[in-house]
Structure formats: structure tokens, C-alpha cells
Amino acid sequence: MKADFLKRGVTQIVSYLVLLFTVCISIVPLLWIVVSSFKSNKAILNKPFALPTEINFHAYYSVLKMNNFLSNTFNSVLISVTSTLVALLFYALAAYSFAKFDFAGKRVLFILFSVTLLIPGHATAQPIFSFINLTGLYDTRLALIVVYISAGLAVSLLILRASFLSIPRELDEAAYMESASFWQVFFYINLPLAKAGLSTAGILMFLGNWNEFFYGFMLTSSAQNRTLPVALQFFTEQFSYNYTQLFAALTLVTLPSIILYMLAQEQVQQSVVSGGVKG
Amino acid sequence: MYKYNKLWVYLFIVPTLLVFVTFYFVPIITVFTTGFTEWNGFNPPKLVGFDNYKMIFTDDNSLTVSLINLFKWSMIATFIHVPFGALVAFIIFKRPVGWRFVRGVFMIPNVIAVSAWAIIYRFIFNDQMGLLNNFIRKLGFSNFHTNWFFDMKYAFSAISFTWVFYAVIVTLLVLSDLMAIPKELHEAAKIDGATEAQIHWRINLPLIRGSLGTSVILSIIARITMFEAIFLTTKGGPGNSTYNISVMLYDGIINYQFGYANAVATIMIILGIGVLIITTKVFRMNKSVYN
């Protein structure tokens, strides 16, 4: 009995140590960056563990004042929001058709769309790079919007189709009885009821687009067309030894994702699982 | 029966079909076919048979290093990353104090940009100002100096550290699998006198093999496509000790060796499918768990 008690105690301690480790590796790096962004360059170099002596936003102010930071932020917002909304509309339309109707070629198309999940991330990079060059979209914001629209195809389709499948057909039938049109039944009845699926897929795509680096880096060349994650890479060179400003920039880039996550924690966690399970 | 115009059903598919054809179908065909050509994007592709593949396999040791690194990272994924994520899930499943907080915080590195995370790690591993080395020096090793990302001996481990413990997807997948196990199974086992450990090994573990398998697949495929974490820290170096197939593909594209790049991409796709097939077999994922 005593051995049992001891064993349980040890298990408990080990469990909490694992959890503590998890928490530390998840937020210490970020906290360190945020805290350091309030310190002087000299303090960052000489006293890496010390807290800032005063809270001032000098570094943030100079980052915001910097040539392209605001335009980079604007690019990130514009590109992520537009591509997510358009993609959401496209995939909701398709998912609705797949969920509620039978048509020739339905199975084949659905399998083809789903199989895109198996293509590893950047394998199609060259054709996409050439396509953007060919259409004259290189180094434009439109290029990234167009590419990002394609990003969450399979996952979004699967999430949204499941959403529409769970909406009873009787509702649609009743609406048709009242002589509603096809579009009205979709837009006024099904779309609002698929809200959970829409926000799950939407958040997943938005976070993906907001954080995207590879295509953002490859498809832009001028400083004012960059998105934030890409700009960050150039800041590290530009600031070279001004760590305070660099850390402030890092904080500003990561903050929106964290805020969005805090606002929609359950939804984000769920979207990651539904995005993951199907992979 | 209600009436609707069937044309709408097709019309609703069109935008997605267009995206699919432009960004998946045509690119995949291009990748598979131009891998057999010499092509720089300006002149028309010239058929060269298996030359690109020959070059990839024999010219320098990039592919060999990439594959060896992929193998090592796959082992780390399977035997450290996934078990760690699962361990956290098992602990959280018991709902200890603060479990919601842990689950929430664990997610944060996953929602911020990988590029930002990579840059943050560049500073954590920095010799002069970095958290790690200063911590080691504080512990009493006052002469400790190592440039983790630039040292032949440590670069691989340093890159591995940027992802190996960030296993929140594994945790969430395993957790939802654990919660789906019928309570009666646990109760019946307890009545039969099973210990906690026996319940874990004999009941829980076999029942969550689906999510473990999925995690292994996701994690290894993430290693195949890992780009930012390498490109923004070591660029594949020192030498090519942290090179991988994604960086190889990128190098091919920016040097306008499109045929070569697409041969690399083809290998990438084949590797991905291979990982999927092998893992599905090993974890018997296509067999139903509740039989």
C-alpha cells in the first residue's frame, strides 16, 4: 500500500515536470523576445536574463516609422483576408454541391480534390513560380492572393462538406416549396447553419496565409510588396545589430496570430485536429 | 421531390475545379514530365531521359545527405516527437490542475509564423547574447562558447531542437482519440483487476494507434517539406550537414534549373507516398480498431 502511494506520488511529480517543460519551451522563447524588446541593445547583450529597467515603446515607434513596415503589414492583412474569404466562398460552393446533390463525375472529382492532400507542400513550386511569371503577376500582391486561395483546398472541402452534410435536407425542401431559388437556399439557409465549419476552415486558412513564407519569399522582389514574415527576414539583415528593434518587429509580427488564437482557442485547436486527422 | 436547376450544381463546382486544375493538376503533370527534360523556363524543354535523376543521384552528395538527414529526422519524429506529444496527451487526459492552460499554451508556437520562430531560435542559440549559452554559463561553465547553428557537430541537433518538442498536433490528435474510448472498457478492465499501467499498454495504446500513425505521417512529411527552419538558420550548412530535399528543390528553382528541380520534386512526392504506405502498414491504420 505504501509502495503504491509512493508510486502515485512519483507519477504525479513526473507528470507535472513534463507539463512544466511543455509550457516553458512554448512561451519562454517568445517572452524573452517581448521582454528584450523593451531593453537597450547593451542590456540585451550584457544582461540577457534581466528585466527591462523601464517600459518604453521607442523600439516599437521606430519600427512602425520605418519605411515599409506599415505597407508590409497592410500587404499581410490584405492578402490573407482576401485570399481566405475568396477561398472560403469557392470551397463552400463546391462542398455544398458535393454534400447535397448527385451528379455525374461526383465521386471522381471528390477523390481528385482530396488527393491533393498527399502532395507535399512545395513540390509544385516550380510550375506555380512559372505560372505567376507567365501571367505577369510576379512581385504583385495579387500573385500571393491567387496562390494562397489554392492553399487549403482539400482540408477546407472536407471540413465544409461535413458541415453541410449535417444540415437536414428537410429545411432545403421546405424552402423550395416556398419557391426559393437554388442560390437563396444555399445562401440564406445552408451558409448560416454551416457557421462552425466555415469558421474552422477560415481560421485554419487565415493562419496559414498570414504565416506563409515560402511563396511570399519566392514571388516578391521589392520591399514594399513583401508580407510581414518575409519582411522579417530582411529586417534581420537591415537592423544587423539593433536587437531592440528587431525584437520589437518580431513581437509585432507574431502578436496578431496569438491574439486571433486567444480569441478563438477552441476553434483553432479543433481546426488543427480536423486539418490533421485527414492528412 | 423539389425542383432545382441542375446547372447550379455544376456551376458551384467550377471555381474549385479551376483552382484545382491551375494549382494542382497542371503543376503535377508538369512536375512529372519536365523532370525528364532540360529546361530553364526560357527555352522550350529538351527531353534528356533520366539525366536529371542521374545527376541528382551521382553528381554531388546533396541527395544522399538529404536522404540521410530525412531518415535521421524521421527516427527522431517517430521515437521522440510523437511519443512526447502522446505523453503530454496522456497526462492531460487525466485532467491535472491547469490542463487547459497547458493545452492552450502548447499551441502558441504552432500558430505563429515558422519564419518568426526560426529567427527567434537564431537568437536563442546565439553564442554571445543567446538564452541557451548564457544559461549554461550561469550554471558555472563560464567559458562555454558554441555557435550551435554554425558548428558542424551541433547544427543538426540545433535544427532538430526547433521542432522536436513542439508536438501539439500529436497531443490534440491523441487526446481526441483517448476521449473517444468508451468508458465501459476502462471500467470493465478495472473490475477485472487491471493496473493503471496495464490499462495504458493493453487498452489505450492499441486503440490510439490510428492517431499515432497519423502523427508519424504528418511529422515525417513535415520533415520532407521543412524549409523555413533550415533556410532561415543554417541555409543547409555548415557544409551541407543540415541540407534537405526542400532546400534542394528551392536551390534548383532559383538557379533556373527547372528540369532538375522537378526531378527533385518528383522524388519528394514519391517519398511522401512511400511514407504514407509504410506507416499505414506499420500502424495497421486501415484495420478498424474496435474489432
Side-chain angles (χ1 to χ4, degrees):
Chain A
M1 214 50 195
K2 202 180 160 197
D4 207 43
F5 183 72
L6 198 72
K7 217 172 102 187
R8 197 168 297 172
V10 172
T11 316
Q12 286 265 318
I13 292 170
V14 173
S15 299
Y16 278 107
L17 282 178
V18 172
L19 294 186
L20 183 71
F21 175 71
T22 311
V23 170
C24 283
I25 54 158
S26 303
I27 49 174
V28 167
L30 219 53
L31 280 180
W32 178 58
I33 295 292
V34 177
V35 168
S36 302
S37 70
F38 293 107
K39 290 159 58 169
S40 72
N41 216 31
K42 217 169 122 198
I44 291 175
L45 285 167
N46 297 332
K47 299 183 195 129
F49 295 107
L51 287 171
T53 45
E54 54 167 335
I55 299 288
N56 66 54
F57 290 87
H58 283 323
Y60 290 89
Y61 183 65
S62 45
V63 168
L64 289 175
K65 220 175 51 187
M66 226 173 44
N67 271 340
N68 291 310
F69 193 86
L70 284 178
S71 66
N72 294 150
T73 310
F74 175 74
N75 292 344
S76 268
V77 173
L78 179 83
I79 291 167
S80 323
V81 171
T82 315
S83 56
T84 304
L85 288 180
V86 175
L88 212 49
L89 175 68
F90 280 15
Y91 303 147
L93 293 173
Y96 178 66
S97 274
F98 279 121
K100 296 215 153 168
F101 303 96
D102 279 318
F103 54 89
K106 173 171 158 167
R107 264 181 67 87
V108 178
L109 273 183
F110 193 71
I111 291 171
L112 279 178
F113 289 169
S114 308
V115 162
T116 59
L117 258 187
L118 303 180
I119 300 163
H122 310 137
T124 50
Q126 181 279 318
I128 291 176
F129 177 61
S130 292
F131 172 76
I132 293 299
N133 277 321
L134 208 73
T135 47
L137 291 177
Y138 180 78
D139 199 23
T140 64
R141 291 177 289 220
L142 188 59
L144 292 181
I145 292 175
V146 170
V147 172
Y148 291 173
I149 286 173
S150 71
L153 194 151
V155 172
S156 306
L157 205 59
L158 289 167
I159 294 174
L160 291 168
R161 191 182 74 126
S163 258
F164 286 121
L165 276 175
S166 69
I167 298 168
R169 275 164 198 273
E170 290 77 32
L171 283 176
D172 300 7
E173 280 175 47
Y176 284 117
M177 296 287 200
E178 309 280 326
S179 71
S181 74
F182 189 90
W183 173 260
Q184 284 173 325
V185 173
F186 166 74
F187 197 78
Y188 292 109
I189 295 177
N190 284 275
L191 213 51
L193 288 172
K195 213 165 56 189
L198 286 170
S199 58
T200 302
I203 289 172
L204 195 62
M205 287 195 285
F206 179 84
L207 280 176
N209 298 341
W210 179 268
N211 293 334
E212 210 280 338
F213 176 83
F214 184 80
Y215 284 110
F217 186 68
M218 197 163 64
L219 300 179
T220 57
S221 58
S222 49
Q224 76 269 15
N225 284 333
R226 284 174 196 142
T227 57
L228 282 177
V230 179
L232 208 50
Q233 149 72 359
F234 291 93
F235 293 158
T236 55
E237 287 153 22
Q238 198 179 330
F239 293 154
S240 56
Y241 292 102
N242 192 338
Y243 297 122
T244 312
Q245 277 186 34
L246 184 55
F247 288 1
L250 270 167
T251 307
L252 286 173
V253 172
T254 50
L255 211 57
S257 307
I258 296 174
I259 292 173
L260 176 69
Y261 167 60
M262 291 207 181
L263 290 177
Q265 240 197 68
E266 292 294 322
Q267 210 77 287
V268 176
Q269 288 179 358
Q270 199 206 324
S271 65
V272 168
V273 173
S274 35
V277 171
K278 310 292 185 336
Chain B
M1 253 329 271
Y2 50 88
K3 276 186 63 166
Y4 58 85
N5 193 341
K6 201 129 203 189
L7 193 66
W8 279 99
V9 179
Y10 288 104
L11 221 57
F12 270 34
I13 306 277
V14 168
T16 303
L17 188 64
L18 223 64
V19 172
F20 170 76
V21 170
T22 319
F23 288 99
Y24 294 96
F25 190 71
V26 173
I28 286 291
I29 302 291
T30 313
V31 165
F32 282 144
T33 51
T34 58
F36 297 104
T37 64
E38 198 187 304
W39 184 33
N40 57 15
F42 303 109
N43 306 317
K46 198 176 91 205
L47 205 65
V48 291
F50 280 92
D51 278 9
N52 286 323
Y53 291 93
K54 254 184 235 150
M55 199 155 87
I56 291 169
F57 279 98
T58 55
D59 234 25
D60 55 13
N61 62 355
S62 296
L63 183 76
T64 318
V65 173
S66 297
L67 290 181
I68 291 173
N69 283 344
L70 176 63
F71 181 74
K72 286 199 273 185
W73 275 321
S74 301
M75 290 297 116
I76 294 174
T78 313
F79 295 106
I80 304 177
H81 178 82
V82 173
F84 180 75
L87 175 68
V88 176
F90 271 94
I91 296 172
I92 289 180
F93 182 59
K94 293 264 175 239
R95 315 224 155 172
V97 183
W99 67 278
R100 268 177 205 281
F101 174 75
V102 176
R103 193 186 59 174
V105 164
F106 200 15
M107 190 75 199
I108 290 177
N110 218 286
V111 297
I112 65 177
V114 186
S115 55
W117 198 243
I119 292 170
I120 291 174
Y121 259 97
R122 214 153 76 185
F123 290 109
I124 288 179
F125 284 133
N126 182 299
D127 181 38
Q128 195 189 5
M129 57 181 288
L131 266 193
L132 183 66
N133 286 2
N134 278 296
F135 184 69
I136 294 172
R137 289 195 280 262
K138 272 253 158 78
L139 287 178
F141 306 92
S142 50
N143 286 321
F144 185 87
H145 289 283
T146 296
N147 268 311
W148 299 93
F149 281 129
F150 304 101
D151 190 318
M152 209 62 179
K153 273 190 299 198
Y154 302 114
F156 185 85
S157 315
I159 294 263
S160 308
F161 197 86
T162 62
W163 61 269
V164 66
F165 294 114
Y166 299 99
V168 70
I169 294 180
V170 182
T171 301
L172 292 176
L173 286 174
V174 171
L175 201 57
S176 62
D177 241 11
L178 280 175
M179 296 207 277
I181 296 174
K183 292 264 183 304
E184 298 81 44
L185 273 177
H186 288 158
E187 280 157 18
K190 268 187 200 145
I191 291 170
D192 290 342
T195 63
E196 190 95 338
Q198 280 173 325
I199 290 179
H200 277 321
W201 286 107
R202 300 271 175 79
I203 300 177
N204 292 343
L205 224 46
L207 288 182
I208 59 158
R209 64 165 194 265
S211 55
L212 289 180
T214 307
S215 305
V216 169
I217 292 171
L218 286 175
S219 180
I220 296 180
I221 291 189
R223 287 332 115 208
I224 297 176
T225 53
M226 178 160 68
F227 177 76
E228 290 98 322
I230 297 175
F231 184 75
L232 293 176
T233 52
T234 64
K235 283 211 157 58
N240 56 6
S241 61
T242 58
Y243 213 60
N244 87 338
I245 196 147
S246 250
V247 182
M248 201 167 161
L249 172 65
Y250 173 81
D251 285 342
I253 295 173
I254 55 156
N255 291 322
Y256 286 90
Q257 297 174 305
F258 289 169
Y260 173 89
N262 284 340
V264 173
T266 306
I267 295 174
M268 202 163 160
I269 294 171
I270 292 170
L271 278 174
I273 294 170
V275 167
L276 191 79
I277 292 172
I278 294 169
T279 315
T280 310
K281 276 246 157 66
V282 170
F283 285 83
R284 295 184 293 134
M285 284 165 69
N286 41 10
K287 306 266 187 340
S288 166
V289 260
Y290 289 106
N291 290 325

